[in-house]
Amino acid sequence: MPSRQEVAYFGAGPAPLPTSVVEAGAKAFVNYNDCGLGLGEISHRSPTANKILEDTKASLTTLLDIPDDYEILFMQGGGSGQFSSVVQNLVGVWVERRRQKAEAEISATENKDELVFEKLQKEVQEELKLDYIVTGSWSLKAAQEATRLVGAKHVNIALDARTASNGKFGKIPAEDTWTLSPSKNSAFVYFCDNETVDGVEFPSFPKILESDDRIVVADMSSNFLSRKVDVNKYSVIFGGAQKNIGIAGISIVIIKKSLLPPQTPTPAPALLHRLNIGGLPGSVVLDYATIAKNNSLYNTLPIFNLWIAGQVMAELVQTYGVQKISGQEQISNRKAEILYSVLDKYPQVYHVVPDKSVRSRMNLCFRVHGGDAEKEKEFLAGAEKRLLQGLKGHRSVGGIRASNYNAVPLENVEKLAKYLEDYATGNA
């Protein structure tokens, strides 16, 4: 049987973890800090759990320079759970802000509450929009979930990137082709910063969203902590843990405090019921205000999973010091460059699926010999013989996918690059 050191794993998620964290986790799961209990057994409301929560927040704040006017939440349900959470919370924010505005504008003393409701109901029906930038399978799923919850009339697909690429994902069309709703009508605009299935990554924050007073939501599940981001440009950043951060079971949300009470109160459930907006008010365990009020401990948070994420973050802080996440960004870029340079060197053998302008540094999607099924099976079998694992593409698109997450060491990337060379030259 191969050892952990011999296997080079490129799976898309769950993804590799630093060996040091795995080994420390094995001990912590049995007997954490010699307390006689494992981390899977301690109370989520204990001082130990609270310290883990505090330390993890501190490491994340350090790495991303998160400003004081943002809150960090730890939740469950993964990235897919956030598809629903974003809708229920930010539509609620839109409704409450419109309600406050209507209340200020209507001066009547008799039947004021009813007049406010009638105005609000009219605005919900005629103006409420949720904008989605669809550039791959995950942003498509997010838009589909929004449609399921609030109905198609309220969901604006501002971009479907498939229209620019023969019905397939692989490009991000120019921003002047996007059809965003008027900002006053938009509850939020959503995009997925890195599409795990399709290998598409935004090179930078969309400029069209910089000059507009919009609530911007980004799903960073698969490129979280792989490059520096200006948190101030986002209203909500979320990500599931099982790519670059830890193990499945928690999701991380970074949210502007202005979207939470007391700055923006949660609308009354009775009001949302009367307005009849899809699935609102929604589940309490997906409610940002509730989670924030309870310091992420409204329900039982999986503390072991949180500890793993915290250890990964702490190791990044220790490794890169004053460089913070920019240090990891340099490594991530270098690893991606090594692999793409080999793939581009042999165009007769390899075809990188996404356009060069939007190639993901995290998920490198390519085809072998034009997507010939037998050739790709042969390629994967040869990789397995060298203990290069997890390279099969997502079932929905096929092909090959090498996921280049933070915990994939440089030497494993070099092993894969050597195999790509050898296969292309007939020396595999």
Side-chain angles (χ1 to χ4, degrees), residues 13-221:
L17 286 165
T19 296
S20 59
V21 172
V22 173
E23 291 174 344
K27 295 177 181 177
F29 195 71
V30 176
N31 188 353
Y32 180 66
N33 284 354
D34 296 322
C35 74
L37 291 174
L39 274 179
E41 300 167 301
I42 66 167
S43 169
H44 64 298
R45 303 194 189 281
S46 66
T48 298
N50 275 274
K51 182 67 165 59
I52 292 169
L53 189 63
E54 178 186 335
D55 290 346
T56 304
K57 280 187 179 183
S59 293
L60 183 54
T61 299
T62 296
L63 288 168
L64 293 182
D65 290 315
I66 298 175
D68 290 340
D69 58 341
Y70 283 76
E71 185 67 71
I72 299 171
L73 309 177
F74 299 104
M75 302 173 67
Q76 297 177 60
S80 296
Q82 289 304 311
F83 297 165
S84 306
S85 191
V86 162
V87 172
Q88 77 172 55
N89 284 279
L90 298 185
V91 171
V93 167
W94 189 94
V95 167
E96 177 58 22
R97 289 180 174 178
R98 287 298 186 101
R99 187 199 66 77
Q100 291 179 6
K101 186 170 181 284
E103 194 169 64
E105 291 173 350
I106 295 173
S107 57
T109 54
E110 291 187 16
N111 299 322
K112 181 171 182 175
D113 288 347
E114 197 60 31
L115 291 172
V116 167
F117 174 77
E118 289 173 3
K119 178 176 174 58
L120 183 56
Q121 186 177 48
K122 186 173 187 294
E123 291 177 354
V124 166
Q125 292 302 315
E126 296 179 1
E127 298 180 23
L128 173 63
K129 292 294 181 183
L130 286 57
D131 289 308
Y132 281 82
I133 310 299
V134 177
T135 55
S137 300
W138 288 111
S139 50
L140 178 61
K141 286 179 183 292
Q144 290 169 340
E145 176 65 359
T147 302
R148 188 185 72 84
L149 290 173
V150 299
K153 68 176 288 186
H154 295 303
V155 176
N156 172 45
I157 305 300
L159 167 70
D160 185 336
R162 292 173 294 184
T163 60
S165 189
N166 298 317
K168 295 182 179 180
F169 294 117
K171 295 181 180 179
I172 300 179
E175 293 176 13
D176 60 9
T177 67
W178 301 5
T179 55
L180 295 167
S181 304
S183 59
K184 68 183 181 68
N185 294 350
S186 178
F188 61 85
V189 55
Y190 166 99
F191 70 97
C192 182
D193 205 40
N194 183 77
E195 292 281 3
T196 322
V197 172
D198 306 281
V200 171
E201 185 175 27
F202 277 82
S204 59
F205 187 84
K207 286 185 171 56
I208 195 172
L209 303 180
E210 290 183 351
S211 59
D212 216 337
D213 184 23
R214 293 179 182 270
I215 292 176
V216 178
V217 177
D219 176 358
M220 294 189 183
S221 291

Side-chain angles (χ1 to χ4, degrees), residues 214-230:
R214 293 179 182 270
I215 292 176
V216 178
V217 177
D219 176 358
M220 294 189 183
S221 291
S222 53
N223 65 351
F224 197 68
L225 297 185
S226 72
R227 66 180 178 185
K228 185 174 177 58
V229 297
D230 184 352

Side-chain angles (χ1 to χ4, degrees), residues 335-410:
K335 291 190 297 177
E337 287 166 7
I338 289 171
L339 294 175
Y340 278 126
S341 66
V342 181
L343 294 170
D344 289 339
K345 185 178 176 181
Y346 299 101
Q348 73 280 13
V349 179
Y350 304 119
H351 167 65
V352 178
V353 176
D355 188 75
K356 196 167 188 176
S357 63
V358 294
R359 286 178 177 178
S360 170
R361 300 162 307 120
M362 295 288 101
N363 309 103
L364 291 74
C365 297
F366 59 97
R367 305 307 299 251
V368 176
H369 289 293
D372 181 284
E374 290 305 313
K375 292 289 187 181
E376 291 190 334
K377 285 181 182 178
E378 175 187 270
F379 175 88
L380 291 170
E384 287 282 345
K385 288 179 181 177
R386 297 196 186 191
L387 299 180
L388 303 168
Q389 299 180 0
L391 289 167
K392 188 175 182 180
H394 191 272
R395 62 186 180 280
S396 65
V397 296
I400 315 298
R401 173 175 57 177
S403 292
N404 176 40
Y405 296 128
N406 289 356
V408 174
L410 180 60

